[in-house]
Amino acid sequence: MGGSLGAEPWERPVPSVQRSMVQRAYLPAPLDCAFFNVPTFILVVEDEPTVQRATCRMLELEGYSCLPAYDGGQALEVLGSGQIPDLMVIDVRLPGMSGPELALRIHTRYPRIPVLFVSGWVDGLADSALLERMQWAFLAKPYSPEALVSTARRMLGASPTTNGNGA
């Protein structure tokens, strides 16, 4: 049989298990995801509007896609709508439910989403063993753009256009 790869350039031959029934099967070539340049999605849960906007801006300037949420309820609504972030940046002190409470609730359903806690209260999240066990991190406010971005990159283990959570 000849060396023809198929009538269309995106088709490629796949060996057939039963050559008597099917000589050749064709499957489309895999898509190059880098072509689409899909940014990493970060959910920022922060009740202070100025800090929320600044945090999102710092991340967006580095190529991340950022969605803000005011409190735990809004964050849960985002997840409930099917938008699963690659990273969550959560203030420790939020109205309603605390940041750690929100993170634990999310962890039960989405255990692979990394969480970066932020707070002006350094003693707000004293359980470093919990942080290590859950592979979470803490960043004290006020933080620099460099500190935020380098911590996000480290937690994602990837560039802004690589999905880090595997969800």
Side-chain angles (χ1 to χ4, degrees):
M1 300 222 121
S4 172
L5 294 179
E8 302 293 338
W10 60 82
E11 294 179 333
R12 61 186 167 128
V14 176
S16 176
V17 176
Q18 297 178 335
R19 290 198 182 269
S20 63
M21 293 176 65
V22 179
Q23 283 294 323
R24 218 182 271 218
Y26 292 93
L27 295 176
L31 294 175
D32 180 5
C33 292
F35 173 78
F36 294 105
N37 199 24
V38 178
T40 299
F41 167 42
I42 299 176
L43 180 60
V44 175
V45 188
E46 169 64 60
D47 61 321
E48 177 58 46
T50 304
V51 176
Q52 184 187 79
R53 282 191 301 274
T55 300
C56 282
R57 185 73 179 136
M58 289 178 214
L59 294 166
E60 289 167 346
L61 286 172
E62 292 298 319
Y64 296 104
S65 174
C66 183
L67 182 65
Y70 172 76
D71 60 15
Q74 282 187 353
L76 292 173
E77 285 178 22
V78 169
L79 290 162
S81 74
Q83 298 181 73
I84 310 303
D86 298 297
L87 172 69
M88 294 187 67
V89 177
I90 304 176
D91 188 8
V92 171
R93 292 183 171 206
L94 293 169
M97 80 178 74
S98 72
E101 181 184 350
L102 170 64
L104 287 170
R105 286 184 65 178
I106 291 169
H107 182 76
T108 59
R109 179 133 189 230
Y110 305 100
R112 295 177 67 183
I113 299 175
V115 174
L116 171 58
F117 289 107
V118 294
S119 181
W121 302 92
V122 179
D123 64 341
L125 193 64
D127 190 353
S128 62
L130 175 66
L131 290 176
E132 283 184 35
R133 187 174 70 246
M134 299 298 227
Q135 297 181 333
W136 294 342
F138 178 82
L139 190 61
K141 292 179 186 176
Y143 42 82
S144 68
E146 295 80 17
L148 175 65
V149 170
S150 67
T151 304
R153 280 189 184 140
R154 179 178 47 81
M155 293 184 76
L156 290 164
S159 70
T161 58
T162 304
N163 184 331
N165 74 6

